[in-house]
Amino acid sequence: MRLIRSLRALCISFSMCLLGAAAAQGLPPAMEADRLLQIAATEMDKQDGADWKTVATALRDAEATGARMPVNFAYHYGRALHAVRQHAAAQQQLERYLREQGTKARYYSEALQQYSSVQVALAAERAALEQQAEIERSWTWFQSRWRGLGQHDCDQARGRVSAISRRARAINCDCDVEVITDHPNYRGMYRTTCEVRWQGNRLLDKHLPTSQVDRDYVAWSWQRESGESMRTGPE
């Protein structure tokens, strides 16, 4: 009797384990696929108010269950992917639908229209990428020299470069202070020269020089050691 009770308890325990494992696994693949397809269909019925990201995600997950998809699945999936701007993936799904279903497909005309729209979108993406690549190739290093800018010289030099080109980037500045000791009229004063290296783009700033890269800008300013400035012309 004791053995029988032990076996019965073991069977009950084993059955509970199986039920727990089944619950943890969720719905069978076919049912889960139907649930997800239902979500996608409900959302698509909203027409202009449809959340296409939700549709695309539901269709992706439905296919991932491994269950057999409806005949027109690839068309709806391609349509959803196109709506969320995943154009390359949309093209694959629409091509799949047209190849598999042929001219007798229920959404044959609509699929062709979607496919044409996808081609236009892909062409626009390629053009945008080519334009961006051309812009990146057009960045040029410029070397500017600013003389006598006064206190906070690099700040002023960067500001002047930005005034030349609002698109300027990677502005590097190095200022050198020259103390005047050999001129009787300027002894005890100093003058600064700032070398500024920066990148400009002629496609973005049409007014940038097209031939001369190095520029020497003169804005003489003599400063006393106390910080007082006295403007003068170039030597």
Side-chain angles (χ1 to χ4, degrees):
M1 287 295 290
R2 184 176 300 174
L3 178 59
I4 294 175
R5 285 197 298 269
S6 298
L7 289 174
R8 185 178 298 165
L10 180 60
C11 288
I12 293 174
S13 176
F14 182 67
S15 298
M16 294 298 293
C17 290
L18 289 177
L19 289 173
Q25 291 175 357
L27 295 174
M31 290 185 181
E32 178 64 9
D34 286 343
R35 185 184 72 84
L36 292 166
L37 291 172
Q38 189 178 73
I39 291 174
T42 300
E43 196 63 39
M44 284 189 291
D45 285 343
K46 298 177 182 179
Q47 300 299 329
D48 293 339
D51 182 348
W52 287 103
K53 184 176 181 180
T54 296
V55 175
T57 300
L59 294 177
R60 179 200 65 195
D61 292 345
E63 188 175 36
T65 64
R68 186 176 180 179
M69 293 293 103
V71 172
N72 300 306
F73 173 83
Y75 164 71
H76 293 298
Y77 194 16
R79 180 186 173 198
L81 290 169
H82 182 28
V84 296
R85 305 186 63 81
Q86 296 184 31
H87 304 305
Q91 176 180 259
Q92 293 178 355
Q93 292 297 325
L94 292 169
E95 287 177 352
R96 168 187 165 191
Y97 177 71
L98 290 167
R99 283 197 308 267
E100 292 179 354
Q101 303 302 318
T103 59
K104 301 299 183 181
R106 178 179 178 181
Y107 297 103
Y108 177 68
S109 178
E110 294 88 339
L112 288 178
Q113 292 175 358
Q114 285 284 320
Y115 189 80
S116 296
S117 180
V118 165
Q119 296 306 305
V120 172
L122 287 172
E125 285 184 351
R126 287 193 294 269
L129 289 174
E130 291 172 2
Q131 182 181 28
Q132 186 59 39
E134 182 65 23
I135 288 174
E136 289 301 318
R137 288 192 294 269
S138 297
W139 286 103
T140 304
W141 282 104
F142 288 77
Q143 188 77 28
S144 302
R145 180 178 299 107
W146 298 92
R147 295 176 178 172
L149 292 175
Q151 295 180 344
H152 309 294
D153 306 286
C154 272
D155 290 342
Q156 293 188 45
R158 292 189 184 95
R160 295 198 179 199
V161 167
S162 297
I164 295 172
S165 171
R166 292 185 296 107
R167 303 278 190 167
R169 71 181 191 183
I171 304 175
N172 299 312
C173 175
D174 183 25
C175 292
D176 180 62
V177 178
E178 177 187 0
V179 179
I180 308 301
T181 59
D182 58 354
H183 196 295
N185 294 330
Y186 298 108
R187 189 174 291 114
M189 298 182 180
Y190 63 91
R191 179 179 62 194
T192 58
T193 301
C194 296
E195 300 285 348
V196 185
R197 191 168 184 263
W198 52 282
Q199 284 187 329
N201 194 305
R202 294 188 179 95
L203 287 181
L204 300 178
D205 289 326
K206 303 296 185 182
H207 64 280
L208 287 177
T210 57
S211 58
Q212 185 179 0
V213 174
D214 295 330
R215 298 292 300 272
D216 191 4
Y217 299 90
V218 180
W220 291 103
S221 177
W222 301 80
Q223 291 90 31
R224 300 182 186 276
E225 292 183 358
S226 63
E228 178 184 353
S229 296
M230 180 173 64
R231 306 290 298 183
T232 184
E235 292 181 341

